[in-house]
Coordinates of all heavy atoms in Angstrom, one line a residue:
G173 N -22.5 6.4 21.4 CA -22.5 5.1 22.0 C -21.1 4.3 21.8 O -21.1 3.1 21.9
K174 N -20.1 5.0 21.5 CA -18.8 4.4 21.3 C -17.7 5.2 22.1 O -17.7 6.4 22.1 CB -18.4 4.5 19.8 CG -19.4 3.7 18.9 CD -19.0 3.8 17.4 CE -20.0 3.1 16.6 NZ -19.7 3.1 15.1
W175 N -16.9 4.4 22.8 CA -16.0 5.0 23.7 C -14.7 5.3 23.0 O -14.1 4.4 22.4 CB -15.7 4.2 24.9 CG -14.7 4.8 25.8 CD1 -13.4 4.4 26.0 CD2 -14.9 6.0 26.6 NE1 -12.8 5.3 26.9 CE2 -13.6 6.3 27.3 CE3 -16.0 6.8 26.9 CZ2 -13.5 7.3 28.1 CZ3 -15.8 7.9 27.7 CH2 -14.6 8.1 28.3
L176 N -14.2 6.5 23.0 CA -12.9 6.9 22.5 C -12.1 7.3 23.7 O -12.5 8.0 24.5 CB -13.0 8.1 21.5 CG -14.0 8.0 20.4 CD1 -13.9 9.2 19.5 CD2 -13.7 6.8 19.5
S177 N -10.8 6.8 23.7 CA -10.0 7.2 24.8 C -9.3 8.5 24.6 O -8.8 9.2 25.6 CB -8.9 6.1 25.1 OG -8.0 6.0 24.0
D178 N -9.2 9.0 23.3 CA -8.5 10.2 23.1 C -9.0 10.8 21.7 O -8.4 10.6 20.7 CB -7.0 9.9 23.0 CG -6.1 11.1 23.0 OD1 -6.7 12.3 22.9 OD2 -4.9 11.0 23.1
F179 N -10.0 11.6 21.8 CA -10.6 12.1 20.6 C -9.8 13.1 19.9 O -9.8 13.3 18.7 CB -12.0 12.8 20.9 CG -11.9 14.2 21.3 CD1 -12.1 15.2 20.3 CD2 -11.5 14.6 22.6 CE1 -12.0 16.5 20.6 CE2 -11.4 16.0 22.9 CZ -11.6 16.9 21.9
S180 N -8.8 13.8 20.6 CA -8.2 14.9 20.1 C -6.8 14.7 19.5 O -6.1 15.6 19.0 CB -8.0 16.0 21.1 OG -7.1 15.6 22.2
C181 N -6.3 13.4 19.6 CA -4.9 13.2 19.1 C -4.9 13.3 17.6 O -5.7 12.7 16.8 CB -4.5 11.7 19.4 SG -2.9 11.3 18.8
G182 N -4.0 14.1 17.1 CA -4.0 14.4 15.6 C -3.1 13.5 14.8 O -2.9 13.7 13.6
F183 N -2.6 12.5 15.4 CA -1.7 11.5 14.8 C -2.7 10.4 14.2 O -3.1 9.5 15.0 CB -0.7 10.9 15.7 CG 0.5 10.3 15.1 CD1 0.8 10.4 13.8 CD2 1.5 9.7 15.9 CE1 2.0 9.9 13.2 CE2 2.7 9.2 15.4 CZ 2.9 9.3 14.1
R184 N -3.0 10.5 12.9 CA -4.1 9.6 12.4 C -3.7 9.0 11.0 O -2.9 9.6 10.3 CB -5.4 10.5 12.2 CG -5.8 11.3 13.4 CD -7.0 12.1 13.1 NE -7.4 13.0 14.1 CZ -8.1 12.7 15.2 NH1 -8.7 11.5 15.3 NH2 -8.4 13.6 16.1
A185 N -4.3 7.9 10.7 CA -4.0 7.2 9.4 C -5.4 6.9 8.8 O -6.3 6.3 9.5 CB -3.2 6.0 9.6
L186 N -5.5 7.2 7.5 CA -6.8 7.0 6.8 C -6.6 6.2 5.5 O -5.7 6.6 4.7 CB -7.4 8.4 6.5 CG -8.6 8.4 5.5 CD1 -9.9 8.0 6.2 CD2 -8.8 9.8 4.9
R187 N -7.4 5.2 5.3 CA -7.5 4.5 4.1 C -8.2 5.4 3.1 O -9.4 5.7 3.3 CB -8.2 3.1 4.2 CG -8.1 2.3 2.9 CD -9.0 1.0 3.1 NE -8.7 0.2 4.2 CZ -7.8 -0.8 4.2 NH1 -7.1 -1.0 3.1 NH2 -7.5 -1.5 5.3
L188 N -7.6 5.9 2.0 CA -8.2 6.9 1.2 C -9.4 6.5 0.5 O -10.3 7.3 0.1 CB -7.1 7.4 0.2 CG -6.0 8.2 0.9 CD1 -4.8 8.5 -0.1 CD2 -6.5 9.6 1.4
S189 N -9.6 5.2 0.3 CA -10.8 4.7 -0.4 C -12.0 4.9 0.5 O -13.2 4.8 0.0 CB -10.7 3.2 -0.7 OG -10.4 2.4 0.4
N190 N -11.8 5.2 1.8 CA -13.0 5.6 2.6 C -13.8 6.7 2.1 O -15.0 6.9 2.4 CB -12.5 5.9 4.0 CG -11.9 4.8 4.8 OD1 -11.7 3.7 4.2 ND2 -11.5 5.0 6.0
L191 N -13.1 7.6 1.3 CA -13.8 8.8 0.8 C -14.5 8.6 -0.5 O -15.1 9.5 -1.0 CB -12.8 9.9 0.7 CG -12.1 10.4 2.0 CD1 -11.0 11.4 1.7 CD2 -13.2 11.0 2.9
D192 N -14.3 7.4 -1.1 CA -15.0 7.1 -2.4 C -16.5 7.2 -2.2 O -17.0 6.5 -1.3 CB -14.6 5.8 -2.9 CG -13.1 5.7 -3.3 OD1 -12.5 6.7 -3.4 OD2 -12.6 4.5 -3.5
N193 N -17.1 8.0 -3.0 CA -18.6 8.1 -3.0 C -19.1 8.5 -1.6 O -20.2 8.1 -1.2 CB -19.3 6.8 -3.4 CG -18.8 6.3 -4.8 OD1 -18.8 7.1 -5.7 ND2 -18.4 5.1 -4.9
A194 N -18.4 9.3 -0.9 CA -18.8 9.8 0.4 C -20.1 10.5 0.3 O -20.2 11.4 -0.5 CB -17.7 10.7 1.1
P195 N -21.1 10.2 1.2 CA -22.4 10.8 1.1 C -22.5 12.1 1.9 O -23.5 12.5 2.5 CB -23.4 9.8 1.7 CG -22.5 9.1 2.7 CD -21.1 9.0 2.1
Y196 N -21.4 12.8 2.0 CA -21.3 14.1 2.7 C -20.3 14.9 2.1 O -19.4 14.4 1.3 CB -21.0 13.9 4.2 CG -19.8 13.0 4.4 CD1 -18.5 13.6 4.6 CD2 -19.8 11.6 4.5 CE1 -17.4 12.9 4.8 CE2 -18.7 10.9 4.7 CZ -17.5 11.5 4.8 OH -16.3 10.7 5.0
D197 N -20.3 16.2 2.3 CA -19.4 17.1 1.7 C -18.2 17.4 2.5 O -18.2 18.2 3.4 CB -20.1 18.5 1.3 CG -19.2 19.4 0.6 OD1 -18.1 19.0 0.2 OD2 -19.6 20.6 0.4
W198 N -17.1 16.6 2.3 CA -15.9 16.7 3.1 C -15.0 17.9 2.7 O -14.0 18.1 3.3 CB -15.1 15.4 3.2 CG -14.7 14.8 1.9 CD1 -15.4 14.0 1.1 CD2 -13.4 15.1 1.2 NE1 -14.7 13.6 0.0 CE2 -13.5 14.3 0.0 CE3 -12.3 15.9 1.4 CZ2 -12.4 14.3 -0.9 CZ3 -11.3 15.9 0.5 CH2 -11.3 15.1 -0.7
Q199 N -15.5 18.6 1.7 CA -14.7 19.8 1.2 C -15.5 21.1 1.5 O -15.1 22.2 1.0 CB -14.5 19.7 -0.3 CG -13.6 18.5 -0.7 CD -13.3 18.4 -2.2 OE1 -12.9 19.4 -2.7 NE2 -13.6 17.3 -2.8
A200 N -16.5 21.0 2.4 CA -17.3 22.2 2.7 C -16.4 23.3 3.4 O -15.5 23.1 4.1 CB -18.4 21.8 3.6
E201 N -16.8 24.5 3.1 CA -16.0 25.7 3.6 C -16.0 25.8 5.1 O -15.0 26.2 5.7 CB -16.6 27.0 3.0 CG -15.7 28.2 3.3 CD -16.2 29.5 2.6 OE1 -17.1 29.3 1.7 OE2 -15.7 30.6 2.9
W202 N -17.0 25.4 5.8 CA -17.1 25.5 7.2 C -16.0 24.6 7.9 O -15.8 24.7 9.1 CB -18.5 25.2 7.8 CG -18.9 23.8 7.7 CD1 -19.5 23.1 6.7 CD2 -18.8 22.8 8.8 NE1 -19.8 21.8 7.1 CE2 -19.4 21.6 8.3 CE3 -18.3 22.8 10.1 CZ2 -19.5 20.5 9.1 CZ3 -18.4 21.7 10.9 CH2 -19.0 20.5 10.4
L203 N -15.5 23.7 7.1 CA -14.5 22.7 7.7 C -13.0 23.2 7.5 O -12.1 22.5 7.9 CB -14.6 21.4 7.0 CG -15.9 20.6 7.2 CD1 -16.0 19.4 6.2 CD2 -16.1 20.2 8.6
H204 N -12.8 24.4 7.0 CA -11.5 24.9 6.8 C -10.7 25.2 8.0 O -9.5 25.3 7.9 CB -11.6 26.2 5.9 CG -12.0 25.9 4.5 ND1 -12.0 26.9 3.5 CD2 -12.3 24.7 3.9 CE1 -12.4 26.3 2.4 NE2 -12.6 25.0 2.5
G205 N -11.3 25.4 9.2 CA -10.6 25.6 10.4 C -10.2 24.3 11.1 O -9.8 23.3 10.5
Y206 N -10.5 24.2 12.4 CA -10.1 23.1 13.2 C -11.1 22.0 13.1 O -10.9 20.9 13.7 CB -9.9 23.5 14.6 CG -8.7 24.4 14.8 CD1 -8.8 25.7 15.0 CD2 -7.4 23.8 14.7 CE1 -7.7 26.6 15.1 CE2 -6.3 24.7 14.9 CZ -6.4 26.0 15.1 OH -5.3 26.8 15.2
S207 N -12.3 22.2 12.4 CA -13.4 21.2 12.5 C -13.1 20.0 11.6 O -13.7 18.9 11.9 CB -14.7 21.9 12.0 OG -15.1 22.9 12.9
F208 N -12.3 20.1 10.6 CA -12.3 19.1 9.6 C -12.0 17.7 10.1 O -12.7 16.7 9.8 CB -11.2 19.4 8.5 CG -11.2 18.3 7.4 CD1 -12.1 18.3 6.4 CD2 -10.2 17.3 7.5 CE1 -12.1 17.3 5.5 CE2 -10.2 16.3 6.6 CZ -11.1 16.3 5.6
E209 N -10.9 17.5 10.8 CA -10.5 16.1 11.2 C -11.5 15.5 12.1 O -11.6 14.3 12.1 CB -9.1 16.1 11.7 CG -8.8 16.9 13.0 CD -7.3 16.8 13.4 OE1 -6.8 15.7 13.7 OE2 -6.7 17.9 13.4
Y210 N -12.2 16.3 12.9 CA -13.1 15.7 13.9 C -14.4 15.4 13.1 O -15.1 14.4 13.5 CB -13.4 16.7 15.0 CG -12.1 17.1 15.7 CD1 -11.4 18.3 15.3 CD2 -11.4 16.2 16.5 CE1 -10.2 18.6 15.9 CE2 -10.2 16.5 17.1 CZ -9.6 17.7 16.7 OH -8.4 18.0 17.3
Y211 N -14.8 16.2 12.2 CA -16.0 15.8 11.3 C -15.7 14.5 10.6 O -16.5 13.6 10.5 CB -16.2 16.9 10.4 CG -17.5 16.8 9.5 CD1 -18.7 16.9 10.0 CD2 -17.4 16.5 8.1 CE1 -19.9 16.7 9.2 CE2 -18.5 16.4 7.3 CZ -19.7 16.5 7.9 OH -20.8 16.3 7.1
L212 N -14.5 14.4 10.0 CA -14.1 13.2 9.3 C -14.1 12.0 10.2 O -14.6 10.9 9.9 CB -12.7 13.4 8.7 CG -12.3 12.2 7.8 CD1 -13.2 12.0 6.6 CD2 -10.8 12.4 7.3
Y213 N -13.6 12.1 11.4 CA -13.6 11.0 12.4 C -15.0 10.6 12.7 O -15.3 9.4 12.7 CB -12.8 11.5 13.6 CG -12.4 10.4 14.6 CD1 -11.7 10.7 15.8 CD2 -12.7 9.0 14.4 CE1 -11.3 9.7 16.7 CE2 -12.4 8.0 15.3 CZ -11.6 8.4 16.4 OH -11.3 7.4 17.3
A214 N -15.9 11.6 12.9 CA -17.3 11.3 13.2 C -17.9 10.5 12.1 O -18.7 9.5 12.3 CB -18.0 12.6 13.5
K215 N -17.6 10.9 10.9 CA -18.2 10.3 9.7 C -17.7 8.8 9.5 O -18.4 7.9 9.1 CB -18.0 11.1 8.4 CG -18.8 12.4 8.4 CD -20.3 12.1 8.3 CE -21.1 13.3 8.1 NZ -22.6 13.1 8.1
M216 N -16.4 8.6 9.9 CA -15.9 7.3 9.9 C -16.6 6.4 10.9 O -17.0 5.2 10.5 CB -14.4 7.3 10.2 CG -13.5 8.0 9.2 SD -13.5 7.2 7.5 CE -14.5 8.4 6.6

Side-chain angles (χ1 to χ4, degrees):
K174 297 179 181 181
W175 179 254
L176 307 181
S177 67
D178 192 351
F179 89 97
S180 70
C181 178
F183 206 4
R184 309 177 189 273
L186 168 75
R187 189 190 301 271
L188 290 167
S189 60
N190 294 5
L191 296 176
D192 293 347
N193 304 311
Y196 53 91
D197 184 6
W198 55 271
Q199 300 181 52
E201 186 174 351
W202 73 273
L203 297 171
H204 288 182
Y206 293 103
S207 294
F208 178 83
E209 61 185 297
Y210 305 101
Y211 184 71
L212 185 63
Y213 194 178
K215 289 297 187 180
M216 292 298 105

